[in-house]
Amino acid sequence: MLSVRNVTKKYGKLLANDNINFEVNAGEISVLLGPNGAGKSTIIKCIAGLLKFQGNIYINGNGNKSLQAKRDLGYIPEMPSLYDMLTVWEHMEFIARAYSLENWKETAETFLDRFELSDKKKKLGSDLSKGMQQKLSICCGLLPRPKVILFDEPMVGLDPHAIKELKNIIMELRQEGSAILISTHMLDSVDEFWDSANIMMDGKIAARRTRNEIAGSGEDLETLFFTITEGDR
Amino acid sequence: MKALLYLLITQLKNRMLALKKKPALLILYIFIALMLFLVIFVSIMMEVESTQLNFADERVIYMILGGIGLLFLGTFITTGLSTGSTLFTMSDVGLLFVAPISSKKILLYGLVSTLGKTILASFFILYQIVNLKANFGYGLKEILALYLIYVIITIVGQLLSIATYIYSNGNTKRKKVIQTVLYFFAGIFLVTTLIIQRNQQVSLYETVLRIADSSWFGYVPVGGWAVMFFKGIVEGAIFDVLLSILCFTILSILFVVFLTRGTADYYEDVLHSTEITHQKLKAAKEGKKYSQRNRKVKVKDNEYGLQKGKGASAIAYKNILEMKRKSRLVYINGYTIIASIGAAIAGYNIKGEVIGAYTVLGALLYLQFFLTAFGPFKFELAKPYIYLIPEKSIKKLLAVSINSIIKPCIDGVIIFAVLTISGGCNPLTAIFLALAYAACCALFVGMTILYQRVLGAQPNMLAKAFVGIGLIAVFLGPSIISSVIVAAMLPDALLFLSSLPFTICCILFTIIIFLLCGNMLDKVEYSEK
């Protein structure tokens, strides 16, 4: 379970996140929506422990900077960040060793297979296309089987097969009880599986809805998004 | 053509208007301009003795000019064989190349635009006016001639690079022919130099000066033409000046004709180099290091996988694997070889003088001070993994630093062994100098951690030079002083131990930094820069 409590993040005078509060429960897919510059990536990076902030963030009850929290957390960045001189398989091996994983090879093979990277195992990170880098970045983030997973614009640059596979994986992870937070602009891509939505505006959570709350209202994610971000405009 | 003219003028106008929003940059430009006027004013007012006896050997300038010309010739041809050069930016590629404008006009636009940038970028030569007047008795005319010829060889060099790329791109046979011709002429030049030296029984330096001053060198493309032009200006030989300009003009016209022949489809050929230039500029703006692989890295079966490492140590083994891919000898790379050659030359010249050996150590450490900033540490911090890995910060810091600490140990052994063999110092002194080198390099690694902890980022070169002076005073000051004191107290037979206090101080400071900044990864912010 992910818990974000009173998180404020400033870059100099710029208030990127203003007293953010939300939770993502185990077995829940929560989406972070909002226009450019709303502060989505910043809160994701704060949760991942990559930025300093005021407030508290808990991963399964542990402070997000603790070792146990790091063991439970998976982060897939918006821009894939790979090592030029490591092959696809070596990236998986590096993550497995760094996270001290046991019996990881079969899981790694499965992920690579699902993202059609099995025949690219010996390709160096620098030789991969942007889309392949994104696929490998996803595989690296998921290999430790994290209980809380952060996806920052995960669909960008992926081909249709990979998008379909990623959606399947996200739904499987929900079934396995993972708490999943996805930041995205592509409303269609999460429409079929989101459980809760946090819509951000100017660094704040402008609205929060659950699928159950709007189920009978005929409102969909897109209508909700435009109603909140554009108002009566 | 109207569109291209509009683009050139508007870009220039907007660039100047943008200065209003960047007052610091405006002040810098005004400062540079004022300094330039001041330098010119001082040079005009400066009285220089009219007797030629006081001036330095003018042939030195010919040698430098000819050398730069030949270096540009070789470098631009080599660049042309790999990536080519470009007169364009990515916005030109995206907006101009697809626009219904003649590709010949676009080439002209690229040339004019590059010419403008080169004229501005070459201003630094004008700052040498006082220096050149005092040493060689040159006036404004000669300085402007130097400036002009530098601009000309830069532009011709870029055209040469593009032409080489277009001619050789995707054709290994042509590449080999160009390489062979290049090496052949370089070889001939070298052999000629040695023959002249042997025949005239003078030093190598004097031989090179004589070659640069010779009339036949003036006919050597680019480098020679540049010297012919400048000598013509200095000596008032108008024919030489015109002949040189004619040579450059004919060569440039040939390149332009080659580029624009037929359908003038040079777009594809400049695309690659434009992309690379764009990436380099982007990396520089973002404070990142741009690395381009020149050789294809083959993943060998026996070098596949990390093989070892668990937890934080996996980072260290990953770094070793990355180093293996860059250099087959892992810790021994181009720097080791170049530094060893430098040590061999120094050793041969200093002939066992202790001060000379310490000077070598100082020079190596000075280099290393700047090189350490670009080690794997900064690279690793620009990726999120090091922050995410569930291990203690201090363990991860040690893991990421360990190879940067081991490499100077190996480098130190090799470099100072070479220094000993070449007669630079005795083996005992070399051992302790190698230790001092390794310890000080470890301190530099510690200092990069300190920068990150205190500043939240790695400073750029200029800032590092300033911050570094302060840090060197704090860390290296006591280390050096302690060594000097010990050296003064030691008997001659034990002088080889002089560097030991320095080594101990460096190690102590390194340990203190690691202990104090051990929690750094929990405290600093991740930055993709």
Side-chain angles (χ1 to χ4, degrees):
Chain A
M1 180 187 164
L2 166 68
S3 178
V4 177
R5 293 181 198 163
N6 309 316
V7 170
T8 296
K9 170 68 192 169
K10 281 183 184 175
Y11 288 111
K13 287 180 184 171
L14 178 79
L15 194 57
N17 287 156
D18 186 5
N19 199 30
I20 303 278
N21 285 282
F22 66 85
E23 289 190 347
V24 184
N25 295 312
E28 178 185 337
I29 298 173
S30 184
V31 290
L32 262 182
L33 307 173
N36 292 329
K40 303 186 297 294
S41 287
T42 303
I43 190 67
I44 292 253
K45 282 179 184 159
C46 286
I47 298 168
L50 302 176
L51 300 178
K52 289 188 274 190
F53 56 88
Q54 290 173 312
N56 296 297
I57 296 172
Y58 298 101
I59 311 286
N60 288 337
N62 301 301
N64 72 329
K65 299 248 178 181
S66 68
L67 293 187
Q68 189 50 50
K70 285 178 192 286
R71 276 186 203 106
D72 289 344
L73 185 79
Y75 167 60
I76 288 96
E78 184 181 3
M79 297 292 288
S81 198
L82 302 176
Y83 295 101
D84 287 353
M85 288 293 140
L86 252 57
T87 63
V88 167
W89 183 253
E90 284 162 355
H91 273 89
M92 302 301 270
E93 186 188 352
F94 168 60
I95 294 294
R97 288 183 178 278
Y99 280 74
S100 306
L101 304 179
E102 302 288 340
N103 308 318
W104 55 274
K105 285 186 181 168
E106 200 181 328
T107 316
E109 295 273 12
T110 310
F111 279 131
L112 294 183
D113 192 40
R114 292 183 74 169
F115 282 107
E116 297 180 310
L117 287 173
S118 293
D119 58 336
K120 312 271 183 318
K121 276 188 204 168
K122 286 197 175 183
K123 271 209 164 202
L124 291 170
S126 56
D127 292 340
L128 298 175
S129 69
K130 172 90 193 306
M132 286 182 199
Q133 288 189 3
Q134 179 66 355
K135 290 177 187 179
L136 180 56
S137 179
I138 293 169
C139 293
C140 287
L142 297 179
L143 185 65
R145 309 300 290 185
K147 295 185 180 75
V148 175
I149 309 160
L150 312 171
F151 289 98
D152 195 356
E153 295 289 355
M155 317 280 182
V156 176
L158 293 184
D159 56 41
H161 171 85
I163 290 176
K164 188 179 140 204
E165 206 57 58
L166 180 60
K167 284 180 182 178
N168 289 337
I169 288 174
I170 288 171
M171 286 189 277
E172 286 165 23
L173 288 166
R174 171 171 61 184
Q175 282 204 320
E176 289 168 17
S178 296
I180 301 158
L181 180 66
I182 306 170
S183 159
T184 186
H185 287 294
M186 298 158 78
L187 304 178
D188 294 348
S189 65
V190 292
D191 203 30
E192 62 195 270
F193 56 65
W194 68 280
D195 296 315
S196 63
N198 295 289
I199 299 172
M200 291 187 72
M201 282 278 285
D202 303 324
K204 294 177 184 162
I205 300 280
R208 179 180 163 85
R209 299 280 192 282
T210 62
R211 185 182 280 274
N212 292 337
E213 280 170 0
I214 63 166
S217 66
E219 206 179 23
D220 62 5
L221 207 54
E222 192 174 281
T223 318
L224 179 69
F225 177 82
F226 286 119
T227 309
I228 290 163
T229 57
E230 294 184 356
D232 298 329
R233 211 171 356 142
Chain B
M1 198 64 191
K2 271 184 185 171
L4 297 173
L5 205 62
Y6 171 80
L7 190 61
L8 272 174
I9 294 168
T10 313
Q11 283 188 102
L12 190 67
K13 189 183 79 185
N14 288 349
R15 206 172 284 250
M16 284 155 94
L17 288 174
L19 289 177
K20 279 202 299 191
K21 290 178 187 167
K22 295 174 182 171
L25 201 60
L26 183 65
I27 292 167
L28 181 71
Y29 286 160
I30 292 171
F31 178 73
I32 290 171
L34 282 176
M35 286 301 288
L36 190 62
F37 281 119
L38 187 71
V39 164
I40 293 170
F41 180 73
V42 168
S43 76
I44 291 167
M45 300 303 287
M46 193 168 74
E47 281 186 24
V48 177
E49 294 214 17
S50 56
T51 166
Q52 282 288 318
L53 290 172
N54 290 329
F55 294 140
D57 192 342
E58 207 170 20
R59 295 175 305 166
V60 173
I61 292 290
Y62 302 157
M63 180 186 73
I64 294 171
L65 190 58
I68 290 174
L70 291 179
L71 188 73
F72 274 34
L73 186 69
T75 312
F76 278 110
I77 290 176
T78 314
T79 315
L81 291 172
S82 54
T83 59
S85 195
T86 188
L87 305 170
F88 304 100
T89 62
M90 276 313 281
S91 40
D92 294 332
V93 170
L95 300 171
L96 278 186
F97 284 16
V98 292
I101 300 173
S102 151
S103 55
K104 289 175 187 169
K105 285 178 183 170
I106 291 176
L107 182 66
L108 183 66
Y109 157 82
L111 271 170
V112 172
S113 164
T114 308
L115 185 67
K117 284 174 199 162
T118 312
I119 286 172
L120 280 176
S122 309
F123 263 140
F124 72 92
I125 291 174
L126 298 177
Y127 284 99
Q128 295 301 318
I129 190 163
V130 174
N131 195 9
L132 290 167
K133 188 166 187 176
N135 289 311
F136 299 96
Y138 288 161
L140 197 60
K141 182 183 72 177
E142 287 83 359
I143 306 294
L144 286 175
L146 273 179
Y147 174 70
L148 185 65
I149 199 65
Y150 182 80
V151 171
I152 290 172
I153 55 177
T154 309
I155 296 285
V156 171
Q158 290 204 324
L159 283 172
L160 171 67
S161 181
I162 299 172
T164 310
Y165 185 77
I166 292 177
Y167 181 71
S168 64
N169 185 23
N171 192 327
T172 319
K173 207 173 170 184
R174 284 183 178 181
K175 274 186 184 177
K176 282 202 171 155
V177 168
I178 295 171
Q179 270 170 343
T180 312
V181 170
L182 191 65
Y183 291 141
F184 176 73
F185 279 108
I188 284 202
F189 196 75
L190 192 69
V191 170
T192 310
T193 308
L194 293 173
I195 290 171
I196 292 172
Q197 188 203 6
R198 202 180 165 87
N199 287 344
Q200 300 188 356
Q201 294 292 310
V202 287
S203 71
L204 194 62
Y205 179 64
E206 177 61 25
T207 313
V208 176
L209 287 179
R210 286 186 186 186
I211 288 173
D213 192 34
S214 65
S215 54
W216 66 265
F217 183 71
Y219 299 100
V220 173
V222 187
W225 298 344
V227 174
M228 190 203 279
F229 175 86
F230 185 65
K231 267 178 86 176
I233 295 281
V234 171
E235 294 168 2
I238 301 299
F239 177 75
D240 282 356
V241 175
L242 291 176
L243 183 63
S244 164
I245 291 174
L246 188 70
C247 289
F248 278 117
T249 310
I250 290 172
L251 190 68
S252 303
I253 290 171
L254 282 174
F255 289 146
V256 172
V257 168
F258 178 66
L259 259 64
T260 56
R261 73 197 194 286
T263 52
D265 192 4
Y266 58 85
Y267 289 173
E268 183 187 328
D269 299 307
V270 296
L271 187 61
H272 181 49
S273 52
T274 309
E275 280 171 353
I276 288 172
T277 308
H278 175 74
Q279 283 164 14
K280 279 182 188 168
L281 282 172
K282 194 169 165 242
K285 273 184 189 171
E286 292 171 359
K288 291 179 185 171
K289 182 189 172 191
Y290 175 80
S291 60
Q292 190 204 341
R293 266 193 288 135
N294 288 322
R295 69 183 176 94
K296 182 87 184 156
V297 176
K298 264 192 171 180
V299 180
K300 293 177 184 171
D301 285 336
N302 59 344
E303 285 176 4
Y304 186 57
L306 274 74
Q307 312 298 346
K308 285 179 185 171
K310 197 175 181 187
S313 67
I315 300 171
Y317 285 101
K318 176 189 71 68
N319 285 343
I320 292 174
L321 183 63
E322 287 173 318
M323 288 163 81
K324 256 187 211 171
R325 298 258 153 85
K326 287 176 188 164
S327 166
R328 287 183 186 90
L329 299 167
V330 191
Y331 292 106
I332 300 167
N333 60 6
Y335 170 78
T336 319
I337 294 162
I338 291 167
S340 300
I341 292 169
I345 295 168
Y348 180 75
N349 286 305
I350 60 181
K351 304 275 182 220
E353 276 187 45
V354 180
I355 293 294
Y358 282 92
T359 309
V360 171
L361 174 69
L364 286 170
L365 290 177
Y366 177 77
L367 261 181
Q368 203 62 38
F369 174 70
F370 289 100
L371 290 176
T372 310
F374 295 116
F377 180 69
K378 185 186 175 187
F379 178 71
E380 208 68 59
L381 287 178
K383 301 201 180 291
Y385 303 105
I386 191 161
Y387 303 90
L388 297 171
I389 290 168
E391 290 286 344
K392 282 188 176 170
S393 171
I394 180 84
K395 280 187 179 179
K396 290 189 277 189
L397 273 185
L398 283 171
V400 78
S401 307
I402 192 72
N403 289 302
S404 300
I405 293 171
I406 294 173
K407 179 168 165 48
C409 296
I410 294 168
D411 280 348
V413 169
I414 295 171
I415 295 166
F416 287 98
V418 170
L419 188 71
T420 309
I421 294 164
S422 60
C425 64
N426 63 56
L428 274 173
T429 306
I431 289 169
F432 284 92
L433 287 180
L435 270 174
Y437 174 75
C440 191
C441 288
L443 177 62
F444 289 158
V445 173
M447 276 162 67
T448 60
I449 291 168
L450 196 62
Y451 292 139
Q452 196 73 32
R453 182 70 183 91
V454 177
L455 305 174
Q458 293 297 308
N460 62 33
M461 276 298 176
L462 196 64
K464 195 176 177 188
F466 282 107
V467 177
I469 289 167
L471 286 176
I472 281 175
V474 172
F475 295 121
L476 294 190
S479 314
I480 294 169
I481 291 167
S482 59
S483 264
V484 171
I485 293 168
V486 169
M489 287 157 53
L490 283 173
D492 283 357
L494 295 176
L495 267 180
F496 62 87
L497 289 172
S498 304
S499 60
L500 195 58
F502 174 83
T503 307
I504 293 168
C505 285
C506 285
I507 292 171
L508 280 175
F509 283 131
T510 309
I511 292 170
I512 291 168
I513 291 174
F514 269 89
L515 288 175
L516 289 179
C517 303
N519 62 350
M520 190 197 84
L521 293 170
D522 297 330
K523 303 288 178 191
V524 297
E525 296 199 330
Y526 164 65
S527 165
E528 285 163 34
K529 285 183 183 180

